[in-house]
Amino acid sequence: MTGQVAAPDRVPTRERIVLAAADLYRRHGYTGTGMKQVAADAEAPFGSIYHFFPGGKEQLGEEVIRRAGGMYALLLPAVFDPAPDPVTGVRTFFTLAGEHLKASGWQDACPIATVALEVSGTSEPMREACAEVFSGWVQAGTERFTAEGLDPEQARAFTLAIVSALEGAFVLARALRSTEPLDAAGEALAARAAELFGAS
Amino acid sequence: MTGQVAAPDRVPTRERIVLAAADLYRRHGYTGTGMKQVAADAEAPFGSIYHFFPGGKEQLGEEVIRRAGGMYALLLPAVFDPAPDPVTGVRTFFTLAGEHLKASGWQDACPIATVALEVSGTSEPMREACAEVFSGWVQAGTERFTAEGLDPEQARAFTLAIVSALEGAFVLARALRSTEPLDAAGEALAARAAELFGAS
DNA sequence: GTCTATATCTCGATAGAC
DNA sequence: GTCTATCGAGATATAGAC
């Protein structure tokens, strides 16, 4: 009977910090994002960051990567479950990614990819966090495509190709300010899917 | 008759600065690379950077991107010219990329991709430099594959898919410390090439 | 053109009042 | 737990002797 109703500031401070950092990472990267800016965007006092993340910038970065990775993992079933077949699923995945990127003013790239490129040679804990996120995506895709009829090796290789193409197309699309790379990559992978799954 | 023999310090200061910065960018990114570190790695006096690049970090970054982009563009004919057919060329391209990345201790990613993700939302001049580099690659690939029998639209889409897959596979490979993403992406694109070019 | 010293700013991180 | 003031280090950039 503690009277837990939805409070006005329903999002806890710690959560706001993680969300704000995730948003900044995909716009400016890890090294380009300052802790003061995170605090400002999260509307949290500066000291609260070090209260919740005593490990500092690196600990915050690790958690942001894992959390963002988990959220993006939800997109896989969200797109593929309603799709009539894997070929359509692949094409839709790339199309939606392009629409979202364009709608954000070419700002919202994938935070994991940016951070992975920046810190893979600098911070081993963060590199491992990125690796675990990618591994999780690949494993989820492998299981799905295996269930849809591919043998596990094929399924894993195809998933790796999809994730790679998606991340790379994001890079080009963001720089070129065009969805063309995402459309082209999606088309190529959809054709590969048609070949693998034997559909048209 | 000015006696121009190969001098001991045959690489000019300005050149050393650009090369050192390019190397640092692909290891630590743009924001993660300091001007002092560039000077140190280039074995150049700190002030010389601002003598040659009065526009500061951004001007240096722009030139590094364009120069590195031009160097990487040379790899396309270097790999595809000796290849017996486009399918083999595609596969070789991804295989060599993986071998190089691994040989560098998973350090030498593509500097353009890293910088493109970091600054596309921050610095318009640098975003344009990245876009021009990518456009150049895509145009070169389009011309080559058109000459090999594809119609221009197919050739352009296929080139975009290749570059996207390559850049994305680099991201995963660097984080996972494995060439598996590059091999899988190469396999998928080689299969697509076989389909497009009608070879086996 | 080369090189050093330094100005100015912002970074990540900490201390301590409340 | 919240918030402010501030530290020391490192950043970019500049001034000026040589």
Side-chain angles (χ1 to χ4, degrees):
Chain A
M1 200 58 150
T2 47
Q4 288 182 355
V5 293
D9 62 311
R10 67 205 189 290
V11 182
T13 300
R14 192 195 148 93
E15 186 78 3
R16 292 203 314 276
I17 292 171
V18 172
L19 294 176
D23 200 52
L24 286 165
Y25 285 179
R26 63 180 178 182
R27 288 178 146 80
H28 310 301
Y30 174 73
T31 50
T33 297
M35 298 291 263
K36 292 199 170 136
Q37 200 177 353
V38 171
D41 282 32
E43 295 182 77
F46 182 70
S48 293
I49 296 190
Y50 287 89
H51 171 73
F52 290 113
F53 303 94
K57 189 176 189 180
E58 200 171 40
Q59 186 191 348
L60 172 60
E62 253 193 83
E63 177 148 341
V64 169
I65 291 299
R66 289 182 210 277
R67 293 276 297 275
M71 290 182 60
Y72 281 88
L74 301 176
L75 295 178
L76 186 81
V79 171
F80 277 83
D81 281 349
D85 58 274
V87 179
T88 308
V90 168
R91 211 187 305 269
T92 305
F93 207 88
F94 281 81
T95 303
L96 287 179
E99 286 174 5
H100 178 84
L101 181 63
K102 186 175 183 179
S104 75
W106 315 104
Q107 290 289 321
D108 287 0
C110 170
I112 326 283
T114 311
V115 176
L117 283 176
E118 282 182 283
V119 305
S120 282
T122 304
S123 162
E124 186 60 14
M126 289 206 60
R127 194 221 101 220
E128 282 174 16
C130 294
E132 282 169 28
V133 165
F134 286 139
S135 293
W137 294 355
V138 171
Q139 189 170 348
T142 302
E143 285 168 11
R144 167 168 287 268
F145 293 131
T146 302
E148 304 222 33
L150 298 190
D151 74 66
E153 278 184 31
Q154 273 184 326
R156 180 174 171 87
F158 183 55
T159 306
L160 279 163
I162 289 181
V163 177
S164 294
L166 187 68
E167 293 290 11
F170 258 117
V171 179
L172 270 70
R174 191 155 187 241
L176 294 169
R177 304 247 154 129
S178 161
T179 59
E180 194 191 3
L182 283 155
D183 296 334
E187 184 191 350
L189 270 294
R192 177 66 175 150
E195 202 173 353
L196 286 173
F197 289 96
S200 70
Chain B
M1 200 58 150
T2 47
Q4 289 184 353
V5 292
D9 62 309
R10 68 207 188 289
V11 182
T13 300
R14 193 195 148 94
E15 187 79 3
R16 292 203 313 275
I17 292 171
V18 172
L19 294 176
D23 200 52
L24 286 166
Y25 285 179
R26 63 181 176 179
R27 288 177 145 79
H28 310 301
Y30 174 73
T31 51
T33 296
M35 297 292 261
K36 289 192 173 147
Q37 200 178 354
V38 172
D41 282 32
E43 295 182 78
F46 182 70
S48 293
I49 296 190
Y50 287 89
H51 171 72
F52 290 113
F53 303 93
K57 188 176 188 179
E58 198 172 39
Q59 187 191 348
L60 172 59
E62 252 194 84
E63 178 148 338
V64 168
I65 291 299
R66 288 182 211 277
R67 293 277 296 278
M71 291 181 59
Y72 280 87
L74 301 176
L75 296 178
L76 187 81
V79 171
F80 277 84
D81 281 348
D85 59 273
V87 179
T88 308
V90 168
R91 210 186 307 268
T92 305
F93 208 88
F94 282 81
T95 302
L96 287 178
E99 286 174 4
H100 178 83
L101 180 64
K102 186 176 184 178
S104 76
W106 314 105
Q107 290 290 319
D108 287 0
C110 171
I112 326 284
T114 311
V115 176
L117 283 176
E118 282 182 284
V119 304
S120 281
T122 304
S123 162
E124 186 61 14
M126 289 204 62
R127 194 221 100 220
E128 283 175 16
C130 293
E132 283 169 28
V133 166
F134 287 139
S135 293
W137 294 354
V138 171
Q139 189 170 349
T142 302
E143 286 168 10
R144 167 167 288 268
F145 292 131
T146 302
E148 303 221 34
L150 298 190
D151 74 65
E153 277 185 32
Q154 273 183 326
R156 180 174 172 86
F158 183 54
T159 306
L160 280 163
I162 288 180
V163 177
S164 295
L166 188 67
E167 293 290 11
F170 258 116
V171 179
L172 270 70
R174 191 154 187 241
L176 294 169
R177 304 248 155 128
S178 160
T179 60
E180 193 191 5
L182 283 155
D183 296 335
E187 182 192 351
L189 270 295
R192 177 68 175 148
E195 202 174 354
L196 286 173
F197 289 97
S200 70

